């Protein structure tokens, strides 16, 4: 007799057991850790963008050509 492949009971792992606090929506320290990690990541990304903008400004400045959105465009719009 061939095995039935339609019965997938038990396939896919098990669910994590939730504590009472988690069931009631109080959350756990794990959620706070994720929030802290996300905050650190956002701060790092912000610092990296600031450094990249500062570096781009210093490299564009000595060439004598104004950056897009610079003073020349502001005077033309006035």
């Amino acid at each position: 007799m061939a095995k039935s492949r339609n019965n997938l009971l038990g396939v896919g792992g098990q669910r994590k057991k939730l504590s009472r606090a988690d069931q009631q929506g109080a959350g756990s320290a794990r959620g706070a850790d994720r929030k802290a990690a996300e905050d650190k990541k956002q701060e790092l990304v912000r610092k990296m963008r600031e450094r990249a903008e500062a570096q781009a400004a210093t490299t564009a400045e000595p060439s004598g050509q104004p950056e897009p959105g610079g003073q020349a465009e502001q005077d033309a719009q006035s």
Side-chain angles (χ1 to χ4, degrees):
M1 183 179 237
K3 290 185 178 178
S4 172
R5 300 206 185 270
N6 295 330
N7 185 5
L8 297 176
L9 183 64
V11 174
Q14 297 178 345
R15 293 185 182 179
K16 179 180 175 277
K17 300 259 193 275
L18 297 175
S19 67
R20 283 190 177 177
D22 287 337
Q23 290 174 358
Q24 294 173 357
S28 64
R30 185 177 180 193
D33 291 342
R34 285 185 179 172
K35 176 86 170 118
E38 184 65 25
D39 290 343
K40 286 181 184 178
K41 181 179 176 183
Q42 292 296 327
E43 182 67 18
L44 180 63
V45 168
R46 183 186 63 80
K47 286 181 181 178
M48 290 174 68
R49 283 188 183 142
E50 287 177 356
R51 287 181 189 158
E53 289 173 1
Q55 188 176 14
T58 57
T59 56
E61 190 175 299
S63 66
Q65 296 180 0
E67 292 184 41
Q71 186 66 24
E73 285 187 22
Q74 290 176 358
D75 291 343
Q77 291 176 355
S78 297

